[in-house]
C-alpha cells in the first residue's frame, strides 16, 4: 500500500490499484461520482461511513491530478 496523497492510497490488491480513501475500499472515483450526481457531504459520509476530511482529501487529490493534466489540441 502506497500513500499517494494525504488520506489517499493505492494498493494493487484493492480496487485494481485505483486510488482509495486510506483504510477503506472506497475509491476516489466513487466519491467524485456521488458528488457529481448531487449527493451532499452528509449523505456520502453516512452511506460510506467516511469523514468530512476524507471527502476533502478526495477533492484535493482530484484537483492535483487535474492540474497536472496536459491536453494537446491537434489541428
Amino acid at each position: 500500500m502506497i500513500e499517494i496523497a494525504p488520506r489517499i492510497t493505492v494498493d494493487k490488491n484493492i480496487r485494481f490499484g485505483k486510488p482509495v480513501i486510506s483504510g477503506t475500499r472506497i475509491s476516489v472515483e466513487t466519491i467524485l461520482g456521488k458528488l457529481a450526481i448531487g449527493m451532499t457531504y452528509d449523505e456520502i459520509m453516512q452511506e460510506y461511513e467516511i469523514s468530512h476530511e476524507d471527502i476533502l482529501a478526495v477533492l484535493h487529490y482530484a484537483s492535483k491530478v487535474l492540474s497536472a493534466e496536459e491536453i494537446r489540441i491537434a489541428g
Side-chain angles (χ1 to χ4, degrees):
M1 182 177 313
I2 301 169
E3 184 174 73
I4 58 172
R7 301 177 94 95
I8 306 295
T9 56
V10 292
D11 181 327
K12 67 179 182 169
N13 298 313
I14 298 175
R15 304 285 288 184
F16 307 102
K18 290 188 175 198
V20 299
I21 297 170
S22 299
T24 75
R25 299 180 66 81
I26 304 164
S27 70
V28 167
E29 178 183 6
T30 297
I31 300 305
L32 290 173
K34 297 299 181 178
L35 290 167
I37 63 169
M39 285 184 74
T40 66
Y41 282 25
D42 288 334
E43 290 169 333
I44 294 168
M45 290 176 349
Q46 187 172 29
E47 183 170 332
Y48 292 98
E49 297 181 359
I50 61 174
S51 69
H52 184 259
E53 290 77 16
D54 291 330
I55 295 172
L56 293 178
V58 163
L59 292 171
H60 182 73
Y61 172 74
S63 172
K64 289 279 201 183
V65 168
L66 286 174
S67 71
E69 183 178 46
E70 212 174 289
I71 298 173
R72 296 187 181 166
I73 299 173

